[in-house]
Amino acid sequence: EEWLVKGCIQEEIIQIMGLPNDVRGAIYTKLNDADTSKELTVLDWTLLRILYNPGMKAGMDKKQARQVFDSIYGQLVKKEK
């Protein structure tokens, strides 16, 4: 069906953009093949916003990336309230 094809295309696009493929145990995201969402989820959009935030840079070690992630995520949560 059309929604299934659209969902597959969305999943492939977010993977091309840098999000991981087939994350077992992840819920409410296109990153899990078991997810039945017809559209990108809030989590998918949030992860893309964090990944493409200017503070997140290639070559960061895990500790640096986690600090930036926590900061960006905190800002996004405040905006939602």
Side-chain angles (χ1 to χ4, degrees):
E1 293 188 29
E2 184 178 325
W3 68 267
L4 182 60
V5 172
K6 183 178 177 182
C8 290
I9 291 169
Q10 288 174 342
E11 178 186 1
E12 296 302 321
I13 288 172
I14 63 174
Q15 290 169 3
I16 290 168
M17 293 177 75
L19 294 182
N21 182 20
D22 302 334
V23 179
R24 291 184 187 183
I27 56 173
Y28 310 117
T29 177
K30 289 278 186 196
L31 303 178
N32 182 341
D33 282 342
D35 183 75
T36 58
S37 301
K38 293 181 181 177
E39 299 291 333
L40 292 179
T41 66
V42 171
L43 178 57
D44 296 326
W45 285 109
T46 300
L47 292 173
L48 286 170
R49 284 185 186 104
I50 292 170
L51 183 62
Y52 281 87
N53 184 287
M56 194 64 78
K57 302 202 183 316
M60 298 175 94
D61 64 32
K62 187 175 181 176
K63 183 179 177 183
Q64 292 170 317
R66 182 57 191 231
Q67 289 173 338
V68 173
F69 175 92
D70 289 344
S71 174
I72 297 167
Y73 182 77
Q75 293 170 15
L76 290 172
V77 168
K78 284 181 186 177
K79 285 182 181 179
E80 294 295 320
K81 290 183 178 182

